[in-house]
Amino acid sequence: MHLHKYEKIWLIFGVGSLVLFLLVLGVSAFAFGHQPPSHMGKVDSQNLAQDPVFSNPGVTQINETTYQATIIAQAFGYEPSVVEVPEGSTVIFQVTSKDVVHSFTIPETNVNFMVTPGHVNMATHTFNEPGEYLVLCNEYCGTMHHMMQMRIEVTPK
């Protein structure tokens, strides 16, 4: 099979680009330890009431400025529906789903991840401004999806 000079150039360019992309991806993932933050832990989504972590969802204080929010996403809401923390607090969100795929999104922050049944997903955020933050679900989870939300109330010091 005869390849024209320009076809060879484009094939070499394409294969070279692919090799370079895979090399950068591999170095980033393994040498620098960049891994996706989801699926850190597993949980039995059918028996969350018996799970030691998710049997009592809510906020617990870890130290003076750090809190852990254990949250269960379910059709069509989050449990608990309101979380209250003081201004300047760092909150570690530990979230799982009881039924279908949901998301946990706090608009105007970097907190945005999928919540899948059987997996524990985590994110950390520091709330430096007092006010009310809305948590939304961005994954379609059924007919009442548009009603799925919770609030984070950040109280002034």
Side-chain angles (χ1 to χ4, degrees), residues 31-63:
F32 298 125
H34 294 168
Q35 303 293 326
S38 62
H39 308 296
M40 290 183 172
K42 296 199 181 261
V43 67
D44 183 4
S45 62
Q46 301 302 312
N47 295 313
L48 291 176
Q50 286 77 35
D51 187 81
V53 175
F54 288 98
S55 60
N56 190 19
V59 177
T60 54
Q61 188 169 1
I62 297 174
N63 61 36

Side-chain angles (χ1 to χ4, degrees), residues 54-75:
F54 288 98
S55 60
N56 190 19
V59 177
T60 54
Q61 188 169 1
I62 297 174
N63 61 36
E64 191 175 310
T65 59
T66 307
Y67 294 80
Q68 182 167 339
T70 303
I71 299 168
I72 299 173
Q74 58 193 349

Side-chain angles (χ1 to χ4, degrees), residues 27-129:
V27 167
S28 174
F30 298 109
F32 298 125
H34 294 168
Q35 303 293 326
S38 62
H39 308 296
M40 290 183 172
K42 296 199 181 261
V43 67
D44 183 4
S45 62
Q46 301 302 312
N47 295 313
L48 291 176
Q50 286 77 35
D51 187 81
V53 175
F54 288 98
S55 60
N56 190 19
V59 177
T60 54
Q61 188 169 1
I62 297 174
N63 61 36
E64 191 175 310
T65 59
T66 307
Y67 294 80
Q68 182 167 339
T70 303
I71 299 168
I72 299 173
Q74 58 193 349
F76 298 100
Y78 296 94
E79 186 181 342
S81 61
V82 178
V83 169
E84 188 174 321
V85 294
E87 174 186 3
S89 298
T90 299
V91 181
I92 303 166
F93 295 100
Q94 187 172 7
V95 188
T96 192
S97 173
K98 190 181 271 190
D99 45 25
V100 297
V101 175
H102 297 283
S103 85
F104 189 85
T105 304
I106 306 173
E108 299 180 22
T109 68
N110 285 335
V111 179
N112 182 7
F113 56 87
M114 289 180 66
V115 182
T116 54
H119 294 99
V120 178
N121 300 283
M122 299 178 80
T124 303
H125 185 72
T126 302
F127 293 94
N128 294 317
E129 298 289 326

